[in-house]
Amino acid sequence: MTGPAVPFREIVLKVHSRCDLACDHCYVYEHADQSWRTRPKTISDHVVSRTAQRLAEHARTHALPSVTVILHGGEPLLAGPARLRRVCEEFTSALAGIAELDLRIHTNGLQLSPRYLDLFDEFDVKVGISLDGDRAANDRHRRYADGRSSHPLVLKAVELIRQDRYRHLDLGLLCTIDIANDPVAVLDALTGLEPPLIDFLLPHATWDDPPPRPDGSPTAYAEWLLTVFDRWQEQGRPVPVRLFSSVLSTLSGGPSLTESLGLAPTDLVVVETDGQLEQVDSLKSAYEGAAATGFDVFTHSFDEVAAHPGVRARQLGLAGVSETCRRCPVVRSCGGGLYTHRYRSPGGFDNPSVYCADLTALILGIEDRTAAATESPAVRDPDELLAAQQDLTRTLLAALHDGLDGSGGEAWETAWALAAEVESDPAGQTGLDVVLAHPYTRTWLLDALETVRAGRPVEGPPVERLAASVAAAAVHAGLDLTVPVAHRDGRLFLPTLGEVRAGGAGETGTALVRADGEGFTVHTGGGALHIARDEGEGPHWSPVRRLAAGGPGAVRAAGGPGPVPTLVLDDLDPYRSCFGAPAARRFSPSAADSWSASLAAAWELLAETVPEQAAEAAAVLTTLTPLTGGEAAQVGRHGYGALGIAAGGDAHTLATALLRGFRRTKLRALAEVTDLYASDGSWDHRMPWQEEREEPVPFSRLLAETYERVALGLFAPRFLAGVPQALDMIEEAAETTVDGKQLLAVMRKEINGTHGTSGRNGCKTDVERAAMR
């Protein structure tokens, strides 16, 4: 086993080893491991003190910001208020100044009273209560030894903790599933108590001692849970359900929210009443001694326990599950199931979960039921993607302002106040949107944010860019607003508009930019210079150029107010140098005309061959920056809508590069606003078009190349070779999220037409079959 052990962030402290109930599904008393019989009933002061010291030592060694201590049993309340107070005092004192302490207790609730809750309020101990549903469901297993019902007293405990003075201590309800119970009645009973959380638990079982399945269905537990899920949806999700939230999170690319699912390494250790250190408690269901480590708090550190082979096995993530699980497309959500549930003698834990079929059916069932509601509209709708990108840029701008926290100086604060003034006017808001949508605004923001996060001062051009952006927005909107803008080396650049010669070479200063209906005026110490709308190249003004709408190859200035024109040829913006190859210097008018003519010919070829892709690219691409070398079309560190273009090559070569570049920039834009995949690099994939000698690639590259080839294949069919197989690989890959599958559907539609289907739910069309030949 390679890599350092994962430090423990959570300990389960057994404060009492007996219970006042006789639940017949209890893994402590009713399953294989009966070691409870030889343990002290109550934890001693010495064990409490030593455990607290060990945890403080561990937290200090690993600089843990917080640790969780769960008081457990048996029934922990049987330890009594005095003993529990001692536990709380010891751990609070030991962790003071080292790590934040999160104290919790899991109880059956029978002994819960104001006396306990007042103690828990004093030490902020959160309380989780076990309840299996209504009275019929709860009493199926959770009874006293003489058969009496525990339900009335548990309800009394729940009502007590719901009181205003204790509600902040309520962790929620833990419910062990029994498929003999009515799932709707169980959920209704639990949600009716308005807990902050419901945690459904599969009953502990192994391949040697499998869970009951009265009708023999291999997915009986999934069917039960999906009925609960449907009812939960029907109720409007009134209470968070950890199991469902975890599946929804992982389907969307997020983390697992429970130890029983997902691939996150375990970070939990158990301390028994005698000070013995054990692995997770549920292992007692597997066999006698399964949880034992041979360590104790008196002679062993938590680091020694963390290095124990049994503990390490549950920290390996994907490498710790069976080969069958590693190949399964839902393993990222189920994580192979709870470690205990994988046990089968004599082979041990190298198996899928005994609930494998249930977990697969549950995850796919939740995905089918929620995909439409959880999918990001940005994947299918180009307008939604543009809106999401604009929101992201505004979020980054706000983050930069917060990160500067006044350190940007007067120039920044003045520009920020003027931005608010521009934003308050409808036309100004539109003008600001135009400037913020400029791809190199994103480059500026990311560079400045990195500087802030590195703790370095942000000054000079990164601070001054905001004022230039506000001035450009005011010009676009035609607002009567004066904005002080810095110029350096005599050059004053207004994003999306152009560059004004505001002084001599080497001269630095501040000019006042004021918009009007005819253009804008720049006031400097040397006088005033007025720039008219659509003013061409001159000694004091270099406009950003764009392809004219009137015909291919024509170039005109982009200096006037109004919408950002399509296909800006930006060879001026100081932040345009964000590609692999250097950005070209300012073109002469004749060179710009020649360069644009080549580009227009390539674009015309795209429009004729792949009109849908060309139309979308035309609606999205706003900025083309000439490069001095490298690939014909490049994507760099910028916002959505820019490409770096190297001149040269015939129209077909340039058209291919433009299409490839657009797909790259779109995929990156999607990845910035939604999760298309998760756990990238955990699996390797051999792309169908790879040579045998080439190394397998991570999912991100498989997706990126497939996404490019789908579009390129419509332009030049040779690129379609291997694409259908790659689409099938993406569909069956564990990394693919809900939004990734949505993008997969878009790609299938692109190559198959609106009626074509492929993969799990249909047959390949003629296009795909032809591509496979």
Side-chain angles (χ1 to χ4, degrees):
M1 297 181 187
T2 59
V6 176
F8 296 121
R9 290 175 171 80
E10 186 172 302
I11 71 167
V12 173
L13 185 67
K14 296 299 191 71
V15 296
H16 202 280
S17 65
R18 305 297 189 269
C19 190
D20 45 2
L21 285 180
C23 306
D24 59 16
H25 59 9
C26 180
Y27 60 84
V28 174
Y29 304 110
E30 302 296 332
H31 285 204
D33 191 316
Q34 293 291 298
S35 57
W36 64 272
R37 297 179 183 276
T38 63
R39 303 199 190 278
K41 289 184 179 181
T42 307
I43 195 169
S44 68
D45 288 350
H46 187 35
V47 172
V48 171
S49 176
R50 193 63 178 144
T51 304
Q53 292 171 14
R54 288 295 190 192
L55 182 58
E57 168 188 274
H58 193 66
R60 185 186 294 109
T61 298
H62 296 281
L64 301 179
S66 64
V67 291
T68 298
V69 177
I70 301 173
L71 310 183
H72 213 279
E75 170 47 51
L77 293 183
L78 292 178
R83 175 65 50 193
L84 294 179
R85 173 175 288 279
R86 179 63 183 269
V87 171
C88 294
E89 289 174 343
E90 284 281 356
F91 279 88
T92 299
S93 174
L95 273 298
I98 298 174
E100 183 178 344
L101 176 61
D102 177 10
L103 279 168
R104 302 181 175 203
I105 189 167
H106 289 172
T107 173
N108 60 33
L110 302 184
Q111 306 290 328
L112 199 64
S113 67
R115 185 182 181 189
Y116 281 108
L117 288 174
D118 288 341
L119 169 65
F120 299 156
D121 184 35
E122 181 180 346
F123 290 95
D124 196 28
V125 183
K126 302 299 191 298
V127 182
I129 297 176
S130 296
L131 178 65
D132 289 351
D134 59 4
R135 180 163 184 158
N138 194 70
D139 288 352
R140 190 179 297 276
H141 301 285
R142 305 187 66 78
R143 299 185 302 272
Y144 287 95
D146 61 7
R148 286 180 297 127
S149 169
S150 66
H151 192 254
L153 281 179
V154 181
L155 287 189
K156 184 178 178 181
V158 173
E159 290 169 3
L160 179 61
I161 202 169
R162 287 179 61 194
Q163 292 180 10
D164 289 344
R165 59 178 173 155
Y166 300 131
R167 188 179 289 271
H168 64 288
L169 302 175
D170 193 357
L171 270 180
L173 301 174
L174 291 82
C175 174
T176 300
I177 297 165
D178 187 326
I179 56 176
N181 292 326
D182 180 343
V184 171
V186 168
L187 182 68
D188 287 352
L190 298 178
T191 57
L193 296 173
E194 299 179 343
L197 178 73
I198 297 172
D199 206 353
F200 285 108
L201 309 174
L202 289 166
H204 290 313
T206 67
W207 288 100
D208 290 357
D209 184 16
R213 298 181 182 275
D215 62 357
S217 170
T219 57
Y221 288 85
E223 292 158 16
W224 193 93
L225 280 166
L226 287 172
T227 302
V228 172
F229 184 84
D230 291 339
R231 177 63 171 171
W232 183 62
Q233 295 266 76
E234 181 184 314
Q235 291 178 338
R237 302 186 182 185
V239 176
V241 175
R242 192 197 306 272
L243 180 64
F244 299 155
S245 298
S246 182
V247 172
L248 290 168
S249 173
T250 54
L251 286 174
S252 297
S256 169
L257 306 177
T258 172
E259 182 202 1
S260 61
L261 297 176
L263 293 169
T266 182
D267 56 2
L268 178 149
V269 64
V270 177
V271 182
E272 290 287 353
T273 54
D274 58 0
Q276 294 293 310
L277 290 161
E278 295 201 339
Q279 302 177 60
V280 63
D281 232 20
S282 61
L283 284 171
K284 295 179 187 296
S285 300
Y287 58 89
E288 182 79 34
T293 65
F295 298 145
D296 60 63
V297 296
F298 309 113
T299 55
H300 302 94
S301 70
F302 282 164
D303 275 358
E304 290 177 271
V305 186
H308 184 278
V311 175
R312 294 299 305 278
R314 294 183 296 112
Q315 296 179 341
L316 296 176
L318 183 65
V321 302
S322 70
E323 182 61 30
T324 300
C325 292
R326 282 195 288 274
R327 296 194 305 267
C328 178
V330 303
V331 67
R332 194 169 41 79
S333 289
C334 83
L338 191 68
Y339 191 73
T340 300
H341 299 167
R342 306 174 199 172
Y343 181 74
R344 186 201 302 262
S345 61
F349 296 93
D350 189 23
N351 306 290
S353 169
V354 71
Y355 292 104
C356 178
D358 291 295
L359 293 173
T360 301
L362 174 65
I363 292 162
L364 295 178
I366 290 177
E367 181 179 2
D368 288 343
R369 286 161 166 79
T370 61
T374 58
E375 289 171 349
S376 170
V379 178
R380 293 186 185 273
D381 189 339
D383 291 339
E384 291 286 350
L385 178 55
L386 286 169
Q389 283 286 315
Q390 187 78 330
D391 287 344
L392 176 57
T393 299
R394 285 181 170 272
T395 299
L396 292 173
L397 178 58
L400 177 57
H401 181 66
D402 290 343
L404 288 171
D405 194 24
S407 65
E410 183 180 352
W412 179 274
E413 298 302 326
T414 298
W416 187 263
L418 288 171
E421 188 174 339
V422 170
E423 187 88 318
S424 66
D425 182 283
Q429 187 176 51
T430 301
L432 194 58
D433 282 342
V434 167
V435 179
L436 292 180
H438 184 52
Y440 302 137
T441 295
R442 182 74 61 79
T443 313
W444 157 58
L445 288 172
L446 291 173
D447 286 354
L449 276 168
E450 283 188 1
T451 302
V452 168
R453 289 164 182 163
R456 300 192 301 269
V458 181
E459 52 194 8
V463 170
E464 296 158 4
R465 176 79 175 207
L466 178 61
S469 298
V470 172
V475 172
H476 281 296
L479 295 181
D480 184 10
L481 183 71
T482 300
V483 182
V485 181
H487 61 84
R488 293 180 176 272
D489 195 28
R491 300 175 184 275
L492 187 156
F493 179 74
L494 297 178
T496 72
L497 296 176
E499 183 180 274
V500 180
R501 173 62 72 175
E507 184 178 336
T508 298
T510 300
L512 299 177
V513 178
R514 182 165 187 168
D516 57 56
E518 302 300 321
F520 61 96
T521 302
V522 179
H523 298 270
T524 65
L529 174 67
H530 186 265
I531 306 297
R533 293 185 63 176
D534 297 332
E535 184 164 332
E537 191 92 16
H540 299 290
W541 173 239
S542 298
V544 171
R545 305 183 181 105
R546 68 176 174 87
L547 289 174
V555 177
R556 66 179 179 84
V564 174
T566 302
L567 296 178
V568 166
L569 305 182
D570 198 332
D571 51 8
L572 287 172
D573 196 308
Y575 285 93
R576 74 189 188 279
S577 297
C578 56
F579 301 93
R585 293 185 177 182
R586 176 70 169 177
F587 278 3
S588 67
S590 61
D593 279 342
S594 174
W595 189 88
S596 300
S598 298
L599 188 63
W603 202 268
E604 185 175 0
L605 181 58
L606 285 176
E608 291 174 353
T609 312
V610 283
E612 291 186 7
Q613 282 73 20
E616 183 183 0
V620 169
L621 290 179
T622 63
T623 309
L624 303 178
T625 288
L627 304 177
T628 59
E631 290 185 49
Q634 297 184 37
V635 176
R637 182 186 174 89
H638 52 72
Y640 192 29
L643 281 179
I645 301 294
D650 57 23
H652 189 278
T653 300
L654 186 54
T656 303
L658 282 170
L659 191 54
R660 173 179 278 120
F662 171 64
R663 294 290 272 201
R664 288 179 180 177
T665 192
K666 182 177 179 182
L667 186 64
R668 195 186 66 172
L670 284 169
E672 288 172 339
V673 298
T674 186
D675 289 315
L676 301 171
Y677 51 85
S679 303
D680 189 40
S682 297
W683 291 265
D684 288 328
H685 303 272
R686 182 166 294 284
M687 296 184 290
W689 45 85
Q690 272 186 301
E691 297 288 340
E692 191 64 33
R693 64 179 181 275
E694 294 182 82
E695 291 294 322
V697 300
F699 182 84
S700 55
R701 185 172 166 191
L702 170 65
L703 178 64
E705 291 205 18
T706 304
Y707 189 64
E708 286 180 28
R709 283 173 171 262
V710 166
L712 292 172
L714 301 175
F715 180 66
R718 63 185 174 86
F719 286 104
L720 276 180
V723 166
Q725 296 95 323
L727 294 176
D728 289 344
M729 291 170 63
I730 291 169
E731 183 167 25
E732 296 302 323
E735 299 98 319
T736 317
T737 63
V738 168
D739 283 331
K741 291 180 180 179
Q742 185 182 12
L743 183 63
L744 175 69
V746 171
M747 289 190 283
R748 289 198 188 281
K749 180 179 176 181
E750 285 180 318
I751 66 170
N752 293 337
T754 56
H755 301 294
T757 58
S758 180
R760 189 167 56 217
N761 298 319
C763 301
K764 292 177 175 63
T765 63
D766 291 340
V767 175
E768 283 193 289
R769 283 194 291 268
M772 294 180 70
R773 294 192 186 107

